[in-house]
Amino acid sequence: MSVQNPYEELGLTEDASFDEIKAARDRLIAESGGDRKRQEMLEAAYDAILMQRLRMRQEGKIKVPEGVRFPERLSAAPPSTPPTPVQQSPAWLQRLIDTPSTKDVLLPAGLFGGLAALSVLLRANSSILQLTLALGIGLSLYFLNRKENLFGRAILLTLSGLLVGLLLGGLFYSLLWAPITSIALSDEQFITLVTLILLWLVCSFLR
């Protein structure tokens, strides 16, 4: 659409600023009452003025503020910064770690706590300690198998917990021999206690 005098169309003079040009266009469009033809004329006048200002800028006659929209070009969208990748644990670890409910933690804790009390409070007796360990292994197998119904994995995790518990118990006992003997715990009692704690952790927080 051709506009003979775009400044008069917008009610402006040629020395109007860019802010005044935009404000006049917006105001007149708002006053047009939805007249599509009138709005097209106002847009054409606005674009004609910007085209003229662009030519004058290219010729070095005026300085156009940055950010002014010209009709023949669109401002390039800023390159989107790729989101920072979230560090995730390996898939095998995610499959292994469990997030149990409070009930799923407290029930095994109570049962293993009872076994630990038996191993500590009763007189050091190898048969009693072996019985508590056997019951702990059975509890671990039960709770692990109940989660995924994978008995093979339950056996593997339970045996791993048993082995680590026995090794850690022996290591800690050798390091803490003096304070442990002061509370009248034998080496077998202490190792059994540490192993039961490891088995509880395994069956509560692994699957």
Side-chain angles (χ1 to χ4, degrees), residues 84-106:
T84 304
V86 179
Q87 295 293 332
Q88 294 185 343
S89 55
W92 65 268
L93 184 59
Q94 293 180 9
R95 291 193 299 268
L96 188 63
I97 300 297
D98 190 20
T99 52
S101 64
T102 303
K103 179 182 177 182
D104 291 335
V105 172
L106 293 181

mmCIF file of all heavy atoms in Angstrom, residues 84-106:
data_model
loop_
_atom_site.group_PDB
_atom_site.id
_atom_site.type_symbol
_atom_site.label_atom_id
_atom_site.label_comp_id
_atom_site.label_asym_id
_atom_site.label_seq_id
_atom_site.Cartn_x
_atom_site.Cartn_y
_atom_site.Cartn_z
ATOM 1 N N THR A 84 22.198 -26.605 30.917
ATOM 2 C CA THR A 84 23.296 -27.332 31.528
ATOM 3 C C THR A 84 22.855 -28.753 31.843
ATOM 4 O O THR A 84 21.843 -28.953 32.518
ATOM 5 C CB THR A 84 23.731 -26.643 32.832
ATOM 6 O OG1 THR A 84 24.069 -25.278 32.534
ATOM 7 C CG2 THR A 84 24.930 -27.346 33.442
ATOM 8 N N PRO A 85 23.553 -29.732 31.317
ATOM 9 C CA PRO A 85 23.124 -31.110 31.572
ATOM 10 C C PRO A 85 23.180 -31.435 33.057
ATOM 11 O O PRO A 85 24.126 -31.081 33.753
ATOM 12 C CB PRO A 85 24.149 -31.954 30.783
ATOM 13 C CG PRO A 85 25.328 -31.056 30.602
ATOM 14 C CD PRO A 85 24.790 -29.650 30.544
ATOM 15 N N VAL A 86 22.132 -32.067 33.520
ATOM 16 C CA VAL A 86 22.061 -32.459 34.921
ATOM 17 C C VAL A 86 22.899 -33.713 35.128
ATOM 18 O O VAL A 86 22.757 -34.690 34.407
ATOM 19 C CB VAL A 86 20.595 -32.730 35.334
ATOM 20 C CG1 VAL A 86 20.526 -33.166 36.793
ATOM 21 C CG2 VAL A 86 19.743 -31.496 35.092
ATOM 22 N N GLN A 87 23.777 -33.613 36.099
ATOM 23 C CA GLN A 87 24.620 -34.764 36.378
ATOM 24 C C GLN A 87 23.771 -35.869 36.985
ATOM 25 O O GLN A 87 23.155 -35.688 38.033
ATOM 26 C CB GLN A 87 25.739 -34.368 37.355
ATOM 27 C CG GLN A 87 26.715 -33.351 36.786
ATOM 28 C CD GLN A 87 27.538 -33.922 35.632
ATOM 29 O OE1 GLN A 87 27.779 -35.117 35.577
ATOM 30 N NE2 GLN A 87 27.950 -33.074 34.722
ATOM 31 N N GLN A 88 23.741 -36.978 36.323
ATOM 32 C CA GLN A 88 22.964 -38.103 36.808
ATOM 33 C C GLN A 88 23.896 -39.259 37.138
ATOM 34 O O GLN A 88 24.949 -39.427 36.529
ATOM 35 C CB GLN A 88 21.940 -38.557 35.763
ATOM 36 C CG GLN A 88 20.850 -37.522 35.499
ATOM 37 C CD GLN A 88 19.799 -38.059 34.555
ATOM 38 O OE1 GLN A 88 20.020 -39.040 33.866
ATOM 39 N NE2 GLN A 88 18.659 -37.409 34.531
ATOM 40 N N SER A 89 23.475 -40.020 38.134
ATOM 41 C CA SER A 89 24.258 -41.199 38.485
ATOM 42 C C SER A 89 24.099 -42.249 37.401
ATOM 43 O O SER A 89 23.120 -42.226 36.650
ATOM 44 C CB SER A 89 23.792 -41.747 39.836
ATOM 45 O OG SER A 89 22.394 -41.988 39.804
ATOM 46 N N PRO A 90 25.038 -43.168 37.291
ATOM 47 C CA PRO A 90 24.943 -44.218 36.256
ATOM 48 C C PRO A 90 23.650 -45.004 36.379
ATOM 49 O O PRO A 90 23.087 -45.156 37.459
ATOM 50 C CB PRO A 90 26.176 -45.081 36.540
ATOM 51 C CG PRO A 90 27.113 -44.206 37.302
ATOM 52 C CD PRO A 90 26.259 -43.271 38.082
ATOM 53 N N ALA A 91 23.220 -45.548 35.233
ATOM 54 C CA ALA A 91 21.948 -46.282 35.213
ATOM 55 C C ALA A 91 21.985 -47.488 36.133
ATOM 56 O O ALA A 91 20.999 -47.789 36.812
ATOM 57 C CB ALA A 91 21.631 -46.705 33.780
ATOM 58 N N TRP A 92 23.126 -48.185 36.172
ATOM 59 C CA TRP A 92 23.201 -49.378 37.023
ATOM 60 C C TRP A 92 23.056 -49.015 38.492
ATOM 61 O O TRP A 92 22.460 -49.766 39.280
ATOM 62 C CB TRP A 92 24.520 -50.122 36.799
ATOM 63 C CG TRP A 92 25.744 -49.360 37.201
ATOM 64 C CD1 TRP A 92 26.520 -48.549 36.419
ATOM 65 C CD2 TRP A 92 26.340 -49.328 38.510
ATOM 66 N NE1 TRP A 92 27.557 -48.008 37.141
ATOM 67 C CE2 TRP A 92 27.471 -48.474 38.425
ATOM 68 C CE3 TRP A 92 26.033 -49.926 39.720
ATOM 69 C CZ2 TRP A 92 28.281 -48.209 39.520
ATOM 70 C CZ3 TRP A 92 26.846 -49.665 40.822
ATOM 71 C CH2 TRP A 92 27.955 -48.815 40.709
ATOM 72 N N LEU A 93 23.576 -47.815 38.870
ATOM 73 C CA LEU A 93 23.457 -47.392 40.264
ATOM 74 C C LEU A 93 22.025 -46.986 40.583
ATOM 75 O O LEU A 93 21.520 -47.264 41.677
ATOM 76 C CB LEU A 93 24.422 -46.235 40.531
ATOM 77 C CG LEU A 93 24.494 -45.732 41.979
ATOM 78 C CD1 LEU A 93 24.927 -46.872 42.902
ATOM 79 C CD2 LEU A 93 25.467 -44.565 42.088
ATOM 80 N N GLN A 94 21.346 -46.333 39.617
ATOM 81 C CA GLN A 94 19.952 -45.972 39.826
ATOM 82 C C GLN A 94 19.082 -47.210 39.997
ATOM 83 O O GLN A 94 18.117 -47.200 40.770
ATOM 84 C CB GLN A 94 19.439 -45.133 38.653
ATOM 85 C CG GLN A 94 20.084 -43.767 38.546
ATOM 86 C CD GLN A 94 19.547 -42.972 37.376
ATOM 87 O OE1 GLN A 94 18.581 -43.362 36.736
ATOM 88 N NE2 GLN A 94 20.173 -41.850 37.087
ATOM 89 N N ARG A 95 19.402 -48.273 39.255
ATOM 90 C CA ARG A 95 18.625 -49.510 39.397
ATOM 91 C C ARG A 95 18.903 -50.198 40.728
ATOM 92 O O ARG A 95 18.091 -50.984 41.206
ATOM 93 C CB ARG A 95 18.944 -50.467 38.246
ATOM 94 C CG ARG A 95 18.435 -49.997 36.897
ATOM 95 C CD ARG A 95 18.489 -51.127 35.877
ATOM 96 N NE ARG A 95 19.851 -51.603 35.672
ATOM 97 C CZ ARG A 95 20.666 -51.131 34.743
ATOM 98 N NH1 ARG A 95 20.267 -50.166 33.924
ATOM 99 N NH2 ARG A 95 21.887 -51.624 34.610
ATOM 100 N N LEU A 96 20.054 -49.927 41.317
ATOM 101 C CA LEU A 96 20.444 -50.604 42.551
ATOM 102 C C LEU A 96 19.944 -49.888 43.799
ATOM 103 O O LEU A 96 19.552 -50.527 44.779
ATOM 104 C CB LEU A 96 21.973 -50.723 42.596
ATOM 105 C CG LEU A 96 22.585 -51.575 43.711
ATOM 106 C CD1 LEU A 96 22.143 -53.026 43.559
ATOM 107 C CD2 LEU A 96 24.099 -51.484 43.674
ATOM 108 N N ILE A 97 19.941 -48.547 43.764
ATOM 109 C CA ILE A 97 19.557 -47.765 44.940
ATOM 110 C C ILE A 97 18.037 -47.724 45.063
ATOM 111 O O ILE A 97 17.324 -47.515 44.086
ATOM 112 C CB ILE A 97 20.122 -46.333 44.848
ATOM 113 C CG1 ILE A 97 21.649 -46.367 44.769
ATOM 114 C CG2 ILE A 97 19.677 -45.512 46.047
ATOM 115 C CD1 ILE A 97 22.315 -46.944 45.977
ATOM 116 N N ASP A 98 17.536 -47.878 46.278
ATOM 117 C CA ASP A 98 16.099 -47.820 46.549
ATOM 118 C C ASP A 98 15.808 -46.609 47.424
ATOM 119 O O ASP A 98 16.668 -46.146 48.179
ATOM 120 C CB ASP A 98 15.657 -49.107 47.256
ATOM 121 C CG ASP A 98 14.144 -49.215 47.343
ATOM 122 O OD1 ASP A 98 13.463 -48.526 46.558
ATOM 123 O OD2 ASP A 98 13.648 -49.981 48.188
ATOM 124 N N THR A 99 14.601 -46.076 47.287
ATOM 125 C CA THR A 99 14.142 -44.993 48.160
ATOM 126 C C THR A 99 12.947 -45.515 48.945
ATOM 127 O O THR A 99 11.803 -45.324 48.540
ATOM 128 C CB THR A 99 13.757 -43.749 47.341
ATOM 129 O OG1 THR A 99 12.836 -44.145 46.306
ATOM 130 C CG2 THR A 99 14.966 -43.108 46.712
ATOM 131 N N PRO A 100 13.218 -46.183 50.054
ATOM 132 C CA PRO A 100 12.139 -46.847 50.777
ATOM 133 C C PRO A 100 11.266 -45.861 51.553
ATOM 134 O O PRO A 100 11.679 -44.751 51.877
ATOM 135 C CB PRO A 100 12.895 -47.770 51.733
ATOM 136 C CG PRO A 100 14.175 -47.059 51.992
ATOM 137 C CD PRO A 100 14.520 -46.369 50.700
ATOM 138 N N SER A 101 10.059 -46.308 51.847
ATOM 139 C CA SER A 101 9.173 -45.537 52.721
ATOM 140 C C SER A 101 9.636 -45.704 54.163
ATOM 141 O O SER A 101 10.482 -46.548 54.475
ATOM 142 C CB SER A 101 7.733 -46.013 52.566
ATOM 143 O OG SER A 101 7.616 -47.365 52.999
ATOM 144 N N THR A 102 9.070 -44.886 55.035
ATOM 145 C CA THR A 102 9.451 -44.975 56.449
ATOM 146 C C THR A 102 9.150 -46.360 57.009
ATOM 147 O O THR A 102 9.952 -46.934 57.762
ATOM 148 C CB THR A 102 8.688 -43.907 57.249
ATOM 149 O OG1 THR A 102 8.960 -42.618 56.695
ATOM 150 C CG2 THR A 102 9.114 -43.921 58.707
ATOM 151 N N LYS A 103 8.013 -46.923 56.611
ATOM 152 C CA LYS A 103 7.645 -48.264 57.089
ATOM 153 C C LYS A 103 8.649 -49.300 56.618
ATOM 154 O O LYS A 103 9.027 -50.210 57.380
ATOM 155 C CB LYS A 103 6.247 -48.614 56.590
ATOM 156 C CG LYS A 103 5.782 -49.996 57.000
ATOM 157 C CD LYS A 103 4.409 -50.302 56.439
ATOM 158 C CE LYS A 103 3.980 -51.719 56.791
ATOM 159 N NZ LYS A 103 2.654 -52.070 56.212
ATOM 160 N N ASP A 104 9.100 -49.176 55.356
ATOM 161 C CA ASP A 104 10.044 -50.151 54.813
ATOM 162 C C ASP A 104 11.419 -50.049 55.451
ATOM 163 O O ASP A 104 12.244 -50.957 55.309
ATOM 164 C CB ASP A 104 10.175 -49.975 53.293
ATOM 165 C CG ASP A 104 8.904 -50.387 52.567
ATOM 166 O OD1 ASP A 104 8.150 -51.199 53.117
ATOM 167 O OD2 ASP A 104 8.672 -49.880 51.448
ATOM 168 N N VAL A 105 11.688 -48.938 56.138
ATOM 169 C CA VAL A 105 12.955 -48.801 56.858
ATOM 170 C C VAL A 105 12.800 -49.248 58.314
ATOM 171 O O VAL A 105 13.657 -49.943 58.859
ATOM 172 C CB VAL A 105 13.451 -47.342 56.794
ATOM 173 C CG1 VAL A 105 14.664 -47.152 57.695
ATOM 174 C CG2 VAL A 105 13.802 -46.951 55.369
ATOM 175 N N LEU A 106 11.691 -48.852 58.935
ATOM 176 C CA LEU A 106 11.520 -49.120 60.364
ATOM 177 C C LEU A 106 11.275 -50.600 60.666
ATOM 178 O O LEU A 106 11.754 -51.113 61.678
ATOM 179 C CB LEU A 106 10.367 -48.277 60.918
ATOM 180 C CG LEU A 106 10.608 -46.771 60.938
ATOM 181 C CD1 LEU A 106 9.411 -46.052 61.536
ATOM 182 C CD2 LEU A 106 11.875 -46.425 61.721
#
